[in-house]
Amino acid sequence: MAVFKMPSLGADMEAGKLVEWLVKPGDKVKHGDIVAVVETQKGAIEIEVFEDGVVEKLVAELGQDLPVGAPLAVIQAPGEALAEPTEEAPPVAPKTATEPVAPVAEAAPPSAPPAATAAGIAASPAAKARAAELGIALESLTGSGPGGAIVLADVETTKPAATPSPAQDRGAYLAEMRKAIAAAMARSKREIPHYYVTHTVDVTAASDWLSAANADRPPEERILMGALLMKAMALAAHEEKAVNGHYGEDGFTPSAAIHLGLAIALRGGGLVAPAILDADKKSLQDLMEAMRDLTMRARAGRLKSSEMSMATLTFSALGESGVEAMAGIIVPPQVAIVTAGAPGPQPLVRDGKVIAAQAVTLTLAADHRVSDGRLGSKFLTAIDAKLQTPEEL
């Protein structure tokens, strides 16, 4: 018997609200199945289960605010005798005045249904967010949840031809997200001794290779410079292992797997950095497809719990129209982040002459408890070297 618990979905998460169950007692589940939807300050996250078995009991009720580690359900392994959980959901721990964390709402009573909208329609927060994203009016849907409430599955199965709803006010939601980001970044700068190294990379060879590789591809299948940067970064992390892993109570634990977090700006404001798992093992085409898919689902509020908790190293880029360079803040418990300015012509010295070449400026922010400037510079120069032979990425 295994107790399925509220997972940690990032350094800024203290608690989450259970807004939807996608399974019921008696359902069979396997590793990786999505079984619930939890709402955090960064949106609705699909929660995966990491064991095979049968759902014996749903412990947590819809609408509850539950801290990380609280039991959600009991999963019975094949052949096991029936068992009951021996622990109760702990209350959300009170915060001290010195810890800049975002406020968490009080837990709703176990029987509380999803909140009603201004129009008096009961709908889960995940369903409301998805309906707003698709432009679907809640009043056009038939709810299948408790008491006829609209749940996420009702929205997903609705045809896009539904009547669009008026634009919803996202101000309060974005304000809460900003609080969560501020809390995590303040903690990072307070607890992690950052150091920074910067390096400008000549990406002429990479740009030329991309032009040739994309010549016969339709726009939706073209590979962008960001994919090359991420692949080079993932491969370089194999050589400089002190940038890839987590720092915890027992110090630094390097990660054999390279799960690259990708910073994604959300429409209207806010930022998330979900992970592309095993980025070093993906082809450039597969990596580009993963980047597109992750960006689409992040902006639609459909990320998975594993993507929000498993990043070992983060990449952030300003795209084609940003500024020349920026410096990032490490996402705990990771120990490094690489940021890339916008690629463009920069004066570089080649064969003793100053020329205008396509270049991108990379900045590494890393944890001085784990590495130092010498190792950080080796990491950036390793990324540079790999970008000079893009056909090998």
Side-chain angles (χ1 to χ4, degrees):
M1 183 272 292
V3 178
F4 176 56
K5 300 180 179 181
M6 175 72 76
S8 174
L9 304 176
D12 51 357
M13 178 177 170
E14 298 286 336
K17 177 180 287 186
L18 179 64
V19 296
E20 189 167 0
W21 278 116
L22 302 178
V23 294
K24 61 184 181 299
D27 285 354
K28 293 182 179 180
V29 294
K30 62 181 184 298
H31 185 284
D33 283 353
I34 298 170
V35 298
V37 179
V38 168
E39 188 175 69
T40 73
Q41 290 166 311
K42 289 194 173 181
I45 308 297
E46 297 176 339
I47 307 300
E48 300 153 281
V49 68
F50 294 100
E51 51 269 315
D52 298 342
V54 177
V55 178
E56 173 60 29
K57 182 179 181 180
L58 302 181
V59 179
E61 298 286 345
L62 296 180
Q64 282 188 287
D65 284 303
L66 299 166
V68 172
L72 300 179
V74 177
I75 308 295
Q76 180 191 2
E80 273 190 330
L82 301 183
E84 296 289 336
T86 59
E87 54 181 318
E88 296 181 355
V92 177
K95 304 296 177 278
T96 64
T98 58
E99 186 69 14
V101 298
V104 179
E106 294 181 359
S111 59
T117 66
I121 301 171
S124 72
K128 288 189 287 184
R130 185 61 175 146
E133 181 72 25
L134 296 175
I136 296 174
L138 290 175
E139 56 267 25
S140 69
L141 304 179
T142 300
S144 61
I150 296 168
V151 296
L152 185 60
D154 300 324
V155 181
E156 295 290 0
T157 56
T158 300
K159 295 181 179 180
T163 304
S165 64
Q168 297 187 357
D169 181 13
R170 293 172 54 87
Y173 165 74
L174 293 174
E176 287 301 307
M177 179 180 290
R178 284 296 182 191
K179 288 180 182 178
I181 294 171
M185 296 301 94
R187 171 192 165 194
S188 176
K189 293 295 285 185
R190 183 173 64 250
E191 298 180 0
I192 300 175
H194 287 57
Y195 73 88
Y196 297 89
V197 289
T198 298
H199 181 57
T200 298
V201 180
D202 185 341
V203 291
T204 302
S207 297
D208 291 345
W209 183 87
L210 277 178
S211 296
N214 289 330
D216 297 325
R217 297 173 185 263
E220 65 274 11
E221 295 180 7
R222 289 174 185 169
I223 300 172
L224 303 181
M225 179 63 72
L228 270 68
L229 293 172
M230 289 192 75
K231 184 61 181 290
M233 178 179 164
L235 294 177
H238 274 299
E239 302 173 13
E240 305 299 337
K241 302 183 186 302
V243 300
N244 185 61
H246 291 164
Y247 193 97
E249 293 181 358
D250 298 324
F252 176 62
T253 303
S255 173
I258 298 176
H259 304 321
L260 285 189
L262 174 63
I264 299 172
L266 303 179
R267 294 188 180 96
L271 187 75
V272 292
I276 295 177
L277 306 185
D278 298 312
D280 56 314
K281 299 178 181 179
K282 296 184 182 296
S283 67
L284 285 174
Q285 184 63 47
D286 289 343
L287 187 57
M288 189 70 245
E289 290 176 1
M291 293 169 67
R292 288 192 177 102
D293 172 67
L294 206 60
T295 300
M296 178 189 68
R297 289 191 291 108
R299 291 172 176 168
R302 296 172 58 196
L303 292 172
K304 300 176 182 177
S305 55
S306 58
E307 295 164 339
M308 293 298 293
S309 61
M310 294 179 66
T312 57
L313 175 64
T314 294
F315 173 73
S316 180
L318 294 171
E320 300 293 327
S321 58
V323 297
E324 183 177 315
M326 68 172 177
I329 301 176
I330 300 168
V331 182
Q334 298 168 45
V335 296
I337 179 173
V338 173
T339 52
Q346 294 191 40
L348 299 178
V349 177
R350 186 184 296 168
D351 298 327
K353 297 180 180 179
V354 178
I355 62 168
Q358 281 293 113
V360 63
T361 298
L362 303 179
T363 300
L364 168 72
D367 189 336
H368 225 318
R369 298 172 298 183
V370 180
S371 63
D372 53 33
R374 181 175 180 275
L375 185 144
S377 65
K378 289 173 63 180
F379 178 52
L380 290 188
T381 54
I383 296 175
D384 185 339
K386 296 183 186 305
L387 289 170
Q388 304 314 311
T389 54
E391 66 280 0
E392 298 178 6
L393 293 175

